[in-house]
Amino acid sequence: PFSARERLMRTKQVKLQHEDGRIQTVRRGAFRLEKTATWVVVPHGVVAREQPGEEVVPRLPSARETEVFKSWVLYKDQDAIVINKPHEFASQMGSKIPKHRAIDWIAQAMAGEEPVRLVHRLDKETSGAMILARNRETAVRLTSAFAEGHVRKEYCALVRGSFQEDEGRIESFLKPSARGPVVSHSQKIPGSQYACTEYQILRTQSDTSWLSLWPQTGRKHQLRVHCASLGCPVVGDSRYGSQDDTKRPLHLHSRVVSFPLRDGLIRVAAPLPIHMIAAQELFSS
């Protein structure tokens, strides 16, 4: 498919091998295939050389990896899969993301010939419920549901400090910078987008708070930026919080996702990761 081809080219995995031994990386855009070149396609990060008429076999997950990946599945039917994404796994492959640490590669490798499509993303550092479509029709339907606000998402987070109000709504305009963090503005400026988050403080102890968050829009780093903008960065967020948090995992988890499918409304809850279970137990003691 075109999207798959573009992704392989973007991540520099499509190459041409010439008779003189030269290896040419095929970049996005137009190129001319020389008569002396044969395709060398490395779809899953495995070094391979292709002789004319010989097929390159892509890397597949090991038996151990397969069992681990299967353990992430929370819900599965003929249209969709919901997984509990671990933190530090990227939603999508990239030039700096190892393939076995990207959800789109993992899902596709597990599915084989069956197409699996991302319909939304979670930050690499964020864990929790993530939806994958198992066919084009469902991908289109779910993409529209996200755009029209029919998908309900609930996050839980541990933040430093406490908001002035126990519950409320955070509204601002977010603008991504070229290489730096997303910036929150009180008024719309060129290049910014409206963002809205509802929240409720569940418990405050010492200098930290446990809260629920309901994003009403889906902007990049929205929840992290909104918490930080009120002086309460998410624990473990070295980008928007303290540099002292570089060694702590991000305490932000996609706890519940509800979305419409042909059989009605599907609601899936994702268990907390170990580092957030430990934090929750401290609040319960």
Side-chain angles (χ1 to χ4, degrees), residues 72-86 90-92 103-104 107-108 115-123 126-135 137-147 149-155 254-262 264-270:
W72 298 351
V73 176
L74 302 170
Y75 172 86
K76 182 177 181 179
D77 64 15
Q78 70 271 25
D79 295 319
I81 301 173
V82 181
I83 65 168
N84 190 3
K85 184 186 89 67
S91 295
Q92 197 167 24
I103 297 301
D104 61 345
Q108 193 59 66
V116 178
R117 297 173 172 85
L118 295 179
V119 293
H120 71 120
R121 293 170 177 79
L122 294 179
D123 295 343
T126 302
S127 58
M130 182 175 180
I131 309 170
L132 302 166
R134 300 184 69 186
N135 52 66
E137 180 184 353
T138 301
V140 171
R141 192 161 59 243
L142 287 176
T143 299
S144 297
F146 271 100
H150 298 317
V151 178
R152 180 75 168 169
K153 295 175 288 181
E154 177 184 341
Y155 289 73
S254 175
R255 186 74 176 90
V256 179
V257 62
S258 302
F259 56 98
L261 273 185
R262 65 181 69 187
L265 187 67
I266 306 299
R267 182 182 186 275
V268 182

Side-chain angles (χ1 to χ4, degrees), residues 239-259:
R239 178 181 288 265
Y240 298 102
S242 170
Q243 291 301 314
D244 296 336
D245 272 339
T246 53
K247 295 183 179 180
R248 301 190 66 178
L250 187 71
H251 284 58
L252 178 64
H253 181 72
S254 175
R255 186 74 176 90
V256 179
V257 62
S258 302
F259 56 98

Side-chain angles (χ1 to χ4, degrees), residues 26-196:
V26 179
R27 303 182 184 278
R28 298 177 68 184
F31 66 93
R32 185 168 63 182
L33 179 62
E34 300 178 25
K35 292 182 179 180
T36 59
T38 57
W39 284 103
V40 180
V41 182
V42 189
H44 296 309
V46 178
V47 177
R49 293 179 181 274
E50 183 185 66
Q51 299 298 325
E54 187 176 54
E55 183 179 358
V56 174
V57 180
R59 176 190 183 278
L60 296 176
S62 66
R64 172 59 180 162
E65 287 175 322
T66 298
E67 290 304 311
V68 172
F69 300 156
K70 285 182 177 179
S71 71
W72 298 351
V73 176
L74 302 170
Y75 172 86
K76 182 177 181 179
D77 64 15
Q78 70 271 25
D79 295 319
I81 301 173
V82 181
I83 65 168
N84 190 3
K85 184 186 89 67
H87 75 284
E88 292 306 320
F89 276 76
S91 295
Q92 197 167 24
M93 289 188 293
S95 58
K96 297 182 180 180
I97 304 296
K99 306 305 173 292
H100 64 282
R101 305 287 288 186
I103 297 301
D104 61 345
W105 175 79
I106 292 170
Q108 193 59 66
M110 291 287 293
E113 296 299 321
E114 176 186 1
V116 178
R117 297 173 172 85
L118 295 179
V119 293
H120 71 120
R121 293 170 177 79
L122 294 179
D123 295 343
K124 184 179 73 171
E125 301 84 356
T126 302
S127 58
M130 182 175 180
I131 309 170
L132 302 166
R134 300 184 69 186
N135 52 66
R136 184 182 297 276
E137 180 184 353
T138 301
V140 171
R141 192 161 59 243
L142 287 176
T143 299
S144 297
F146 271 100
E148 296 168 5
H150 298 317
V151 178
R152 180 75 168 169
K153 295 175 288 181
E154 177 184 341
Y155 289 73
C156 57
L158 182 68
V159 302
R160 298 191 180 278
S162 179
F163 298 165
Q164 292 183 352
E165 302 292 335
D166 288 341
E167 58 183 45
R169 174 185 290 243
I170 308 169
E171 296 177 286
S172 70
F173 294 89
L174 302 184
K175 182 179 180 180
S177 54
R179 295 184 179 179
V182 175
V183 180
S184 179
H185 300 271
S186 58
Q187 296 181 336
K188 184 172 179 59
I189 65 170
S192 66
Q193 292 181 302
Y194 172 75
C196 177

